[in-house]
Amino acid sequence: MARHLSFRSGNPALNKNSFRNLRVDRSAGAIRRNELMTIKGTVDKTALSLTLLLLSGYYVYSEKLISFAFGGFILGIIIFFITLYNKKAAPITVPIYALCQGMFLGGISFMYGQIFEGIVFNAITLTVTILFSLLLAYRSGVIKPTENFKLGLFAA
């Protein structure tokens, strides 16, 4: 199989050394790590992260709790850098990051909702619907991530 797009990215977290020396840890601990990365696992974890983001955003979406937005932003940046430099901590830091970013987005959404009537509901509904539709399409096999699909996606 051609690997012309594999491991090529401008993202600093995905450089040529990102996937070097990775091993599968099949230990049974607090978090079981017994699977390789699969489409099903990726879709499930993405859906869980989105759900956590939406729940914490909904919680902060009020005038009383808007002060949590700044704290969520700062804590989210800290968690991002922890995850970037310690990838083994990702099973723990990614849900925390989703909660922090949800708090930040909930506060920002509340502020924009006060200025522009109805914009928040439309934005959230469209974003969540599109993401869940694509996750469902990936998981059901309607969209297959082939090399040509990746090439078309990057070209777009």
Side-chain angles (χ1 to χ4, degrees):
M1 177 185 286
R3 298 182 59 105
H4 60 280
L5 290 177
S6 297
F7 309 122
R8 198 171 77 190
S9 172
N11 185 341
L14 296 175
N15 59 34
K16 65 181 180 177
N17 297 322
S18 294
F19 301 105
R20 193 172 287 184
N21 298 327
L22 285 183
R23 298 190 191 341
V24 177
D25 183 10
R26 297 187 186 273
S27 65
I31 300 171
R32 284 192 73 193
R33 297 183 183 133
N34 61 354
E35 290 184 18
L36 296 173
M37 185 174 174
T38 62
I39 293 289
K40 178 187 178 301
T42 303
V43 167
D44 292 347
K45 290 172 186 172
T46 302
L48 178 65
S49 294
L50 179 64
T51 303
L52 290 172
L53 183 138
L54 288 172
L55 289 174
S56 64
Y58 179 76
Y59 178 74
V60 174
Y61 189 82
S62 71
E63 195 168 343
K64 295 176 188 173
L65 299 173
I66 198 168
S67 59
F68 285 127
F70 184 70
F73 176 73
I74 297 299
L75 190 58
I77 289 176
I78 292 168
I79 297 295
F80 165 76
F81 282 111
I82 290 171
T83 308
L84 182 65
Y85 293 111
N86 185 7
K87 290 178 178 58
K88 290 183 181 182
I92 295 166
T93 57
V94 168
I96 297 169
Y97 178 78
L99 290 169
C100 293
Q101 292 306 301
M103 289 190 309
F104 174 64
L105 290 174
I108 294 295
S109 297
F110 180 77
M111 289 190 293
Y112 275 102
Q114 298 302 309
I115 299 169
F116 305 105
E117 184 83 22
I119 193 171
V120 173
F121 179 76
N122 291 339
I124 290 172
T125 303
L126 288 171
T127 303
V128 170
T129 303
I130 290 169
L131 180 59
F132 274 130
S133 298
L134 286 173
L135 290 176
L136 182 66
Y138 272 117
R139 184 150 181 199
S140 66
V142 172
I143 297 175
K144 293 179 178 41
T146 62
E147 289 297 320
N148 287 337
F149 175 75
K150 290 185 222 176
L151 183 62
L153 190 65
F154 283 118

